Amino acid sequence: MDGAPTHVDWTRGDYEISTDPARLDLDLTHRFLSEDAYWSPGVPREIVERAIGNSMVFGVYHVGPSGSAQVGLARVVSDRATFAWICDVFVLPEHRGQGLGKWLMECITSHQELQGLRRMVLATRDAHGLYAQYGFTPLEDPSRFMVRRDPGR
């Protein structure tokens, strides 16, 4: 291992994307994931904190006169060598329609630590068009993939 990961920041207009987990608003992140996200209703805060602590995070921030406020997030679970899973992607409703989801995907797919991977995967119910722009396609052979679920989680 090459040591601690280097945090990367991108700026576009009044927005920033940062891979620094210390910048995340855990209250906002937990609230969105537990109350608004279809994929994680009721997720406990401690699970969100542990997931963030074991992932690469891409926080989206609106920068204004009084500072910056988180308005989105994506998490990437990866070995940084062969595989990555993009998950927990969101932009708050009041900041949608400004290309932030596209920019977030550009930052993720161009990140230095995620280059040369054999496979990047994600799951979506309603954003297929967005992800297709970045080379994501339906599984060629879904029968090769399996899942183990814990019904209590």
Side-chain angles (χ1 to χ4, degrees):
M1 238 165 124
D2 297 316
T6 303
H7 303 302
V8 181
D9 297 311
W10 297 265
T11 302
R12 182 180 286 176
D14 292 339
Y15 290 94
E16 295 176 346
I17 293 179
S18 176
T19 61
D20 184 354
R23 289 188 63 183
L24 292 176
D25 179 337
L26 290 174
D27 291 332
L28 176 133
T29 300
H30 174 252
R31 187 170 46 255
F32 186 89
L33 292 175
S34 65
E35 297 174 11
D36 299 323
Y38 66 82
W39 60 88
S40 56
V43 64
R45 182 183 170 105
E46 57 271 11
I47 297 295
V48 172
E49 289 178 13
R50 191 168 44 176
I52 287 170
N54 289 302
S55 304
M56 294 176 70
V57 293
F58 291 76
V60 183
Y61 304 90
H62 181 256
V63 181
S66 60
S68 68
Q70 184 182 336
V71 300
L73 172 85
R75 236 175 15 93
V76 179
V77 181
S78 179
D79 62 7
R80 294 177 169 93
T82 63
F83 177 82
W85 174 42
I86 301 171
C87 53
D88 290 342
V89 180
F90 73 86
V91 173
L92 295 179
E94 58 270 26
H95 293 273
R96 293 179 188 162
Q98 300 183 60
L100 296 175
K102 289 181 181 182
W103 185 35
L104 186 54
M105 288 306 297
E106 289 169 17
C107 294
I108 292 169
T109 57
S110 68
H111 192 284
Q112 179 180 341
E113 293 182 38
L114 299 174
Q115 300 308 299
L117 304 177
R118 281 194 304 247
R119 184 171 290 120
M120 267 188 163
V121 299
L122 54 80
T124 186
R125 179 173 73 184
D126 55 5
H128 297 79
L130 167 65
Y131 298 122
Q133 296 174 53
Y134 299 92
F136 289 87
T137 61
L139 294 173
E140 291 175 19
D141 185 0
S143 68
R144 292 179 58 189
F145 288 80
M146 297 180 72
V147 64
R148 178 178 177 224
R149 296 185 190 276
D150 180 343
R153 295 223 178 223

